[in-house]
Amino acid sequence: MIEGDLVISADFGTSGVKVGVVDSSLTILARVTAAYPLNLAPGGIAEQNPTDWWEALAQALHALHQELPELKSRAAALVFSSQLLGLVCCAEDGTPLRPCLTWLDKRAAPLGKKLVGGFPEIHGYNAPRLARWLRIANGAPAKNGMDPTAKMLWFMQQEPDIYAKTRWMVDVKDWLVHRATGTMTTCPESANLTWVMDTRLGREGWSETLCALTGINQSKLAPITQADTVVGPLTPQAATDLGLRANVQVLAGTSDAMASTLGSGEVADGALHVSVATSAWIAGFFPNRRLSVAHSYATVTSGLNFRPLLIASQENAGSALDWVAAITGGGEHPYADIGTPQPDDPLFLPWLAGERVPVDNDRLRGTFHGLSLHHDAAALRRAAIEGVALNLRWAMSKVAREKGAQTSGTLSITGGLAANPAFAQTLSDALGRNVRVCAARHAGMLGTATLAAPLMGWADSVTGAAARLKSRSSATYTPDPERSDALTHRAHSLDKIRRHTIRSYT
């Protein structure tokens, strides 16, 4: 019997956690963001301390208790979503043995290339091994070392003492659920992206064949659990940390990609949405597995009855805009007044941390092309916004070829960058489509909350609850025909620059 009428939804991103209290109408009654550090260092290092995530959650809950004094008596469920592709090495009791290698960590890139490469090759992959991966997992480890596969191998080779003490190798959300309940699980999306999971219909689970192929120890991998499964109540210690009752039910939770999809309300097959935050991705559910080896995207097996979820990720979006703002002295609102686009504005490739879709190459680096003495800070910021939008157009041109993909009508966008009017309008102009801004910064939080809707009696299904969110918009944008034509011309120029730039890094 569920006691309480509210759900606490926590969406863990790269720089902080967004925690909201959600009611039966899927309205956020109160929300708080708590930050945590990201350690970036030369050599591709990008680490976080798992305890920082938990302490940020506790800090956010403390603030929410002040805003909603009745929260402790009314909270019935706690649901997490998080960034993907992290790797936490834990002891038997869940204690982290070292900082987490986050999705941004690329130090394992040489191991990633070695794992997948070798004669005879196709697109940098050994053909026989690639065929096995594609048949079983519907994909293969990325060459850039960002997937957990290469990170696990890195631990085996570079930190063997840590690896020997490791009982569990899990993703970010998995560790959080364990900290809350004492039970270790993993979601299908995280499992799929280790590339040792069998994703074939009716065979979903860890693959002995792929574990043997990669050398990954299956016994160190957590049980794969559906997103809306109740894992258990809070442990007494977790309840004390968070100021909640111990009978609050904790669900298995999901990835940020699926949370964003649910939060966008785009739950029909082929309905795509775009999430733009630190990074960016195009995502949507499909009725069966999809894969593009040439353009480095695929469906992953989601935590909703293993339903295929296409994810086409790009490494740089808000991170690139933040960088440009920092080097141009943009102040508190650097993109609020950037002037009118000019025909000779520079062109920008936002590959500041490599790229993944539609070209998987961690060595790619960004550039401004066509700079002149008269270009000022505003011109660079205009170019940055345009460059991120046209980079997404480039990826969308590949994904849109998938059978059943919806390529017309209004496109839903989520994520912090979606709240930037200049960017949202530029994306509408670049794609030639109406753009609907969903809950922007809070779509992931709302999507995460829908996982608890059946448990709470708010809806018959998770997707039924999520579909209700499609009617909510914070803003809509219509493409300007003249600007769309100009961006199409500039996109053609960028196509030529991309080809030459990519060739220089191969």
Side-chain angles (χ1 to χ4, degrees):
M1 179 78 178
I2 291 293
E3 294 183 26
D5 65 333
L6 299 177
V7 169
I8 297 171
S9 174
D11 180 22
F12 288 81
T14 306
S15 58
V17 58
K18 299 167 187 172
V19 187
V21 180
V22 181
D23 69 8
S24 59
S25 65
L26 296 179
T27 297
I28 300 174
L29 302 182
R31 60 179 184 265
V32 173
T33 298
Y36 36 73
L38 172 67
N39 174 35
L40 298 173
I45 293 172
E47 296 183 340
Q48 288 178 324
N49 288 313
T51 53
D52 288 340
W53 306 328
W54 187 257
E55 289 171 3
L57 176 64
Q59 175 187 337
L61 262 295
H62 177 76
L64 288 170
H65 283 298
Q66 305 305 307
E67 191 167 347
L68 295 173
E70 72 277 16
L71 179 59
K72 184 171 183 178
S73 63
R74 295 181 63 188
L78 174 63
V79 198
F80 299 125
S81 61
S82 80
Q83 53 181 297
L84 279 166
L85 304 179
L87 184 61
V88 185
C89 289
C90 306
E92 178 69 44
D93 63 357
T95 301
L97 299 174
R98 66 167 330 279
C100 169
L101 274 62
T102 69
W103 67 274
L104 271 171
D105 198 294
K106 297 183 179 179
R107 75 187 82 175
L111 289 174
K113 292 183 176 69
K114 183 178 179 181
L115 173 67
V116 303
F119 181 82
E121 284 190 351
I122 177 171
H123 298 296
Y125 287 83
N126 172 267
R129 287 202 299 275
L130 178 61
R132 195 176 306 173
W133 262 309
L134 298 187
R135 178 174 58 85
I136 299 174
N138 194 50
K143 292 170 284 186
N144 60 19
M146 295 175 71
D147 290 345
T149 330
K151 292 171 180 171
M152 292 175 185
L153 298 178
W154 185 89
F155 274 112
M156 294 180 204
Q157 296 184 23
Q158 301 299 318
E159 297 187 0
D161 291 345
I162 294 292
Y163 181 75
K165 298 174 184 176
T166 297
R167 171 62 184 89
W168 300 108
M169 297 189 294
V170 294
D171 209 339
V172 175
K173 187 271 307 170
D174 311 333
W175 183 86
L176 288 160
V177 171
H178 182 276
R179 181 66 183 261
T181 66
T183 300
M184 196 66 80
T185 63
T186 191
C187 64
E189 300 100 291
S190 292
N192 195 156
L193 293 174
T194 65
W195 303 111
V196 292
M197 178 187 175
D198 192 331
T199 68
R200 291 173 292 181
L201 182 64
R203 304 186 188 186
E204 295 90 352
W206 296 119
S207 167
E208 293 183 5
T209 298
L210 295 181
C211 284
L213 178 66
T214 57
I216 290 173
N217 186 343
Q218 185 177 337
S219 68
K220 294 180 184 288
L221 305 176
I224 301 170
T225 307
Q226 294 295 313
D228 54 351
T229 300
V230 174
V231 175
L234 289 170
T235 66
Q237 183 59 58
T240 298
D241 292 346
L242 304 180
L244 299 172
R245 294 173 295 129
N247 63 350
V248 168
Q249 300 298 302
V250 181
L251 278 70
T254 190
S255 63
D256 54 3
M258 191 169 85
S260 175
T261 302
L262 295 172
S264 74
E266 301 290 0
V267 292
D269 283 340
L272 300 172
H273 85 284
V274 172
S275 176
V276 277
T278 302
S279 59
W281 63 75
I282 302 165
F285 290 110
F286 279 81
N288 46 37
R289 302 194 309 180
R290 302 296 172 91
L291 171 70
S292 174
V293 174
H295 298 121
S296 304
Y297 69 80
T299 52
V300 300
T301 298
S302 78
L304 291 181
N305 297 317
F306 300 119
R307 188 181 178 194
L309 175 66
L310 186 145
I311 305 175
S313 299
Q314 294 192 313
E315 303 298 76
N316 311 272
S319 57
L321 297 191
D322 289 345
W323 178 81
V324 171
I327 65 169
T328 58
E332 187 176 356
H333 301 291
Y335 294 96
D337 184 14
I338 56 176
T340 303
Q342 300 299 312
D344 70 340
D345 275 347
L347 296 162
F348 179 57
L349 293 176
W351 302 334
L352 304 184
E355 192 49 282
R356 187 152 189 169
V357 170
V359 170
D360 180 16
N361 189 336
D362 65 294
R363 295 184 297 169
L364 288 179
R365 289 298 177 265
T367 185
F368 283 101
H369 184 86
L371 286 172
S372 295
L373 290 173
H374 69 276
H375 286 135
D376 57 11
L380 295 182
R381 292 179 208 142
R382 289 196 300 269
I385 284 180
E386 183 183 283
V388 173
L390 291 177
N391 209 48
L392 278 164
R393 170 181 165 138
W394 182 41
M396 184 67 83
S397 70
K398 313 303 180 185
V399 175
R401 299 173 185 174
E402 290 294 332
K403 181 180 179 181
Q406 296 181 16
T407 57
S408 61
T410 300
L411 178 72
S412 297
I413 64 173
T414 67
L417 190 52
N420 181 318
F423 176 79
Q425 182 63 60
T426 301
L427 185 63
S428 175
D429 294 336
L431 298 177
R433 294 177 63 178
N434 292 341
V435 163
R436 177 181 76 93
V437 180
C438 306
R441 293 180 175 88
H442 309 298
M445 186 192 303
L446 284 171
T448 303
T450 65
L451 295 174
L455 173 70
M456 300 294 295
W458 298 348
D460 292 335
S461 66
V462 172
T463 53
R468 287 156 47 187
L469 298 173
K470 188 173 180 178
S471 62
R472 302 185 189 180
S473 301
S474 59
T476 56
Y477 297 84
T478 301
D480 175 86
E482 184 176 343
R483 184 66 182 140
S484 289
D485 289 344
L487 284 176
T488 295
H489 176 74
R490 289 172 67 78
H492 292 328
S493 297
L494 266 179
D495 286 341
K496 299 174 184 177
I497 297 167
R498 283 195 196 99
R499 286 196 294 271
H500 291 294
T501 304
I502 290 169
R503 191 176 301 120
S504 72
Y505 282 98
T506 55

